[in-house]
């Protein structure tokens, strides 16, 4: 099947509607019927402001990037992005075309 990989980057401690933004994204996606999503915490990274964040620095604890990704259809991506905009959340995202499916579950 063809669709897209929709990926968002948020700061680990960023909140939206009193929830961590990455948790909010996962919960909203589930409520909209998207079939799965994952959040991954980075070891290090920097964003548009050029400030490097690394896990080893105590003063930056909780400020690392979190990548939240979904493999979805084009319609699901459009619907989810529109929902995020309607909720007033301004996020950087990537939308990349992908082919996806399941491997044959036959016995080896």
């Amino acid at each position: 099947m063809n669709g897209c990989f929709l990926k968002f980057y948020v700061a680990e401690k960023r909140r939206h509607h009193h929830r961590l933004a990455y948790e909010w994204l996962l919960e909203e996606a589930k409520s909209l019927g998207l079939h799965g999503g994952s959040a991954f915490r980075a070891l290090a990274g920097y964003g548009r402001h050029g400030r490097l964040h690394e896990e080893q620095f105590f003063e930056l604890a909780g400020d690392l990037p979190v990548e939240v990704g979904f493999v979805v259809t084009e319609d699901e991506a459009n619907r989810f992005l529109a929902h995020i905009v309607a909720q007033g959340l301004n996020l950087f995202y990537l939308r990349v075309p992908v082919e996806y499916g399941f491997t044959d579950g036959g016995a080896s």
Side-chain angles (χ1 to χ4, degrees):
M1 297 188 331
N2 292 312
C4 63
F5 182 49
L6 190 58
K7 186 188 314 188
F8 300 90
Y9 292 94
V10 297
E12 183 178 13
K13 64 183 176 184
R14 183 174 177 182
R15 293 188 171 271
H16 185 67
H17 294 302
H18 308 291
R19 291 186 292 190
L20 292 171
Y22 67 89
E23 290 176 345
W24 184 89
L25 283 166
L26 291 170
E27 290 170 7
E28 292 297 304
K30 184 177 179 183
S31 74
L32 291 172
L34 276 64
H35 295 287
S38 300
F40 298 93
R41 185 169 166 255
L43 295 174
Y46 71 94
R48 64 181 177 219
H49 301 295
R51 190 175 72 180
L52 182 63
H53 304 275
E54 293 184 83
E55 188 172 26
Q56 64 190 7
F57 294 111
F58 178 74
E59 65 273 8
L60 295 178
D63 203 22
L64 290 168
V66 175
E67 175 185 291
V68 186
F70 306 90
V71 176
V72 294
T73 67
E74 292 292 334
D75 289 340
E76 289 170 330
N78 291 336
R79 191 165 39 99
F80 193 37
L81 288 169
H83 177 73
I84 290 168
V85 169
Q87 294 295 312
L89 191 53
N90 182 11
L91 297 175
F92 177 79
Y93 72 92
L94 296 175
R95 184 176 181 161
V96 181
V98 295
E99 178 182 324
Y100 63 95
F102 295 95
T103 58
D104 184 346
S108 308

